[in-house]
Amino acid sequence: MPLFDYSLLLTGKYHDMLVAGLLLSLQLLAASLVLALPIALVVALLRLSPLAPLRWLGFAYVETIRNIPLLAHMLFWYFGAPELLPEGIKQWLYAGHIEAYSAIIALSLYTAAFMAEDIRSGIRAIPTVQFEAGRALGFGFLSTMRRVVLPQALRVTVPPLISQTLSLWKNTSIATVIGVAELMYQAGQVESATFRSFESFAFASAAYLTVSLAITGLATWYHHRFPVRTI
Amino acid sequence: MRHTLLAAALAASALLTGIAAHADQLADIKKKGELVVGVLGTDEPATFIDPKTRQIVGYEVDLVNAIAKKIGVKPVLKQIAVAARIPELQQGHVDLVAAGLTHNKEREAQIDFSLTTFVTGQKAIVKKDSGITDVPLLAGKKVLTIRGGTQEPNIRKAVPTAEVVTFDTSQQAFQALQQGKGVGYVDDEAALLRSYAKLGPQKTQYVVLKQNLSTEALAIGIKKGESGLKAVVDDTLRELEKSGEAQKIFVKWYGPNTASGFQTRDFKLESDKID
């Protein structure tokens, strides 16, 4: 019995399964990121809002989500939440890829809570005089944010956001528990079909590491290309 | 994983130096005074946790206890996941695996098996209103089952176009069926009937499809080449059969008065050959 069977990873059915898993993981990452960013921005603005009830709403969102493990979120959005929907919508959803949808919702909402905090910190890093200057020029809260504060804040925020993206990428693996055929799932399937645990998980680890390093590289590049302007 | 590499490296070096190094697992078990057995613990009535005593009990536990008694050591049950059964055994974390393990030709290359301890068919259950009355009608439909066992390959073999979604435990998969997240659920007949019985009055909404997806011979898994251990396991099982104890244990867990409700026992603990 060879120590490490490369052929398993390079060609054939098991290779295809692992690659399909990797592609699905990347899709989960992309879809969740696209959804999480706007939610995070809205939540960050809620937390900085001049209106107390809106601030509480933002606070409640961030703290509830951040303090419950992602695994629980995943199971809730798959086994729990959809059951509350009206029968018709439920049936329509269940006939489709409910596993992947639930995973994307759980991942987006979870990641958004962390990203919101990064964005909020970024906004708070901009001196208040900038905001006050905007208001003095006659802009409202939202316009001041949009025209004066956010363009500066987002530049500060991008490196931590990329770091959250890294966490999001690794977190996609938790979708396994609700039957989403992503990378960890497929590695497990290949293992149980072939008993070649080392090879299948080596593939998964190498794939996670490669994509993670690429994301880290992106953060470093951005940092050099767009340094934070001295305020 | 490191253990596999290490073991492989050791085995290779032993071969190179021409030393027929053979550690006898049975002697090790006697020395440490306990027989460590990997069980599922979530597979009623084979191995499950008794809600009152919080102890793992069941059909396979009774067999394992008999084996430990025969060797003269204490049985220690260790809960493992379906997919971890064979790796745990190969890496020596457990001495035996009694975890609804199907004995098949592919696995014979990896581990040894005891005499067949249970014979079951794998079946599918569907909701009545799905209109599915026969296995081939599952084509193109979403079918749910447990991960890491033979259920998934068997349903794929029987219905290649079925979209199979798998879960860590059979409870999760069955719950997904109840919620309508798939049209069918596949499992060993004994486990399936058990889940079916738990439905209570809702039973009428479900149908167990008659056709067997496969016939599974379950056995206790033994690390490859441990002939001493295999001999004592098989001897114990043969003795249980001869004394009528095996029949009693079967009736206790699967018989007519249990939720599984088997009227007869169609197999004997007598052979480790499979078709």
Side-chain angles (χ1 to χ4, degrees):
Chain A
M1 195 153 79
L3 268 187
F4 195 93
D5 186 3
Y6 287 100
S7 64
L8 180 88
L9 305 180
L10 298 178
T11 50
K13 185 171 96 178
Y14 300 119
H15 164 82
D16 295 346
M17 280 168 73
L18 290 167
V19 170
L22 175 59
L23 291 179
L24 186 61
S25 287
L26 287 168
Q27 285 172 330
L28 286 181
L29 171 69
S32 309
L33 188 61
V34 167
L35 278 172
L37 280 171
I39 302 173
L41 186 59
V42 170
V43 173
L45 290 179
L46 281 180
R47 291 208 65 175
L48 294 166
S49 154
L51 303 173
L54 292 182
R55 281 204 301 275
W56 293 335
L57 191 66
F59 173 80
Y61 177 88
V62 169
E63 296 309 329
T64 333
I65 300 247
R66 274 205 312 191
N67 293 303
I68 295 173
L70 177 58
L71 180 61
H73 286 281
M74 215 43 106
L75 294 172
F76 171 75
W77 288 106
Y78 183 69
F79 283 111
E83 286 294 295
L84 307 172
L85 294 170
E87 197 58 34
I89 303 178
K90 206 164 87 178
Q91 300 237 325
W92 173 79
L93 258 180
Y94 289 179
H97 293 285
I98 175 74
E99 294 81 23
Y101 299 147
S102 302
I104 290 170
I105 292 175
L107 285 168
S108 315
L109 294 181
Y110 186 79
T111 310
F114 290 89
M115 286 185 160
E117 288 299 274
D118 286 338
I119 297 176
R120 185 168 72 105
S121 307
I123 294 173
R124 290 179 59 192
I126 308 304
T128 35
V129 288
Q130 296 270 337
F131 186 80
E132 286 161 2
R135 294 306 296 259
L137 288 170
F139 294 124
F141 174 82
L142 283 179
S143 319
T144 314
M145 275 292 175
R146 192 166 59 83
R147 291 169 186 275
V148 182
V149 180
L150 283 180
Q152 305 180 65
L154 291 181
R155 184 173 266 221
V156 186
T157 314
V158 168
L161 285 187
I162 294 181
S163 162
Q164 292 298 349
T165 309
L166 189 66
S167 300
L168 171 62
W169 165 241
K170 292 178 290 181
N171 285 341
T172 56
S173 62
I174 296 185
T176 291
V177 297
I178 54 170
V180 182
E182 47 71 61
L183 186 52
M184 281 305 272
Y185 181 97
Q186 295 289 25
Q189 297 291 76
V190 171
E191 184 195 26
S192 60
T194 61
F195 306 114
R196 307 294 313 195
S197 334
F198 195 77
E199 287 83 350
S200 47
F201 284 105
F203 180 95
S205 306
Y208 280 116
L209 187 64
T210 310
V211 176
S212 295
L213 287 178
I215 295 173
T216 313
L218 184 68
T220 316
W221 171 82
Y222 185 90
H223 196 67
H224 282 290
R225 179 71 184 75
F226 302 102
V228 175
R229 289 189 179 127
T230 37
I231 307 162
Chain B
M1 243 150 274
R2 231 177 41 211
H3 293 287
T4 331
L5 273 181
L6 194 66
L10 282 176
S13 59
L15 280 178
L16 283 175
T17 49
I19 303 163
H22 183 74
D24 183 26
Q25 207 182 355
L26 183 58
D28 291 346
I29 293 166
K30 282 181 180 158
K31 208 166 103 192
K32 70 183 165 180
E34 51 189 36
L35 177 72
V36 184
V37 184
V39 297
L40 293 179
T42 52
D43 182 21
E44 195 174 349
T47 54
F48 64 103
I49 296 172
D50 184 315
K52 280 196 208 89
T53 61
R54 305 301 301 157
Q55 298 291 313
I56 299 176
V57 295
Y59 176 77
E60 289 175 333
V61 176
D62 284 357
L63 298 181
V64 164
N65 287 344
I67 295 166
K69 198 172 156 206
K70 169 108 177 156
I71 304 176
V73 292
K74 194 162 71 86
V76 176
L77 302 180
K78 188 178 162 197
Q79 262 188 284
I80 53 175
V82 174
R85 294 175 300 186
I86 289 172
E88 288 276 87
L89 188 63
Q90 286 177 323
Q91 291 168 21
H93 296 161
V94 294
D95 299 317
L96 295 174
V97 167
L101 188 68
T102 297
H103 181 178
N104 62 24
K105 293 272 187 244
E106 293 83 50
R107 288 175 176 174
E108 281 182 356
Q110 310 285 334
I111 57 168
D112 286 339
F113 291 90
S114 71
L115 302 185
T116 297
T117 54
F118 199 87
V119 177
T120 177
Q122 276 177 357
K123 286 197 151 90
I125 184 171
V126 294
K127 279 213 171 132
K128 215 170 244 172
D129 59 18
S130 67
I132 289 169
T133 50
D134 204 359
V135 171
L137 293 174
L138 289 169
K141 296 278 176 11
K142 211 190 264 185
V143 180
L144 313 159
T145 189
I146 185 167
R147 181 179 315 154
T150 49
Q151 290 87 343
E152 188 188 4
N154 285 339
I155 178 72
R156 284 196 199 278
K157 214 182 282 168
V159 192
T161 57
E163 188 196 334
V164 185
V165 179
T166 64
F167 295 86
D168 286 328
T169 66
S170 51
Q171 285 83 354
Q172 278 179 338
F174 197 71
Q175 188 180 11
L177 172 79
Q178 281 179 280
Q179 293 186 341
K181 288 178 175 121
V183 296
Y185 164 83
V186 172
D187 210 340
D188 294 348
E189 189 176 9
L192 191 100
L193 290 179
R194 182 61 69 149
S195 304
Y196 180 65
K198 275 191 191 150
L199 286 169
Q202 287 183 320
K203 265 197 218 169
T204 50
Q205 298 170 24
Y206 294 84
V207 195
V208 178
L209 301 183
K210 289 223 161 48
Q211 188 190 331
N212 267 343
L213 295 171
S214 74
T215 304
E216 301 281 304
L218 307 187
I220 295 173
I222 305 161
K223 199 171 177 182
K224 194 120 198 88
E226 293 298 338
S227 48
L229 184 58
K230 177 168 162 52
V232 73
V233 170
D234 286 351
D235 282 349
T236 315
L237 295 175
R238 274 194 202 97
E239 281 167 24
L240 289 177
E241 186 63 57
K242 219 165 147 194
S243 66
E245 193 61 31
Q247 175 71 21
K248 273 190 212 149
I249 297 175
F250 178 86
V251 172
K252 175 175 163 198
W253 299 106
Y254 291 99
N257 297 325
T258 65
S260 305
F262 279 78
Q263 297 301 320
T264 54
R265 175 165 172 257
D266 304 326
F267 62 90
K268 281 204 161 73
L269 311 184
E270 59 187 3
S271 163
D272 62 356
K273 298 283 173 288
I274 50 159
D275 303 326

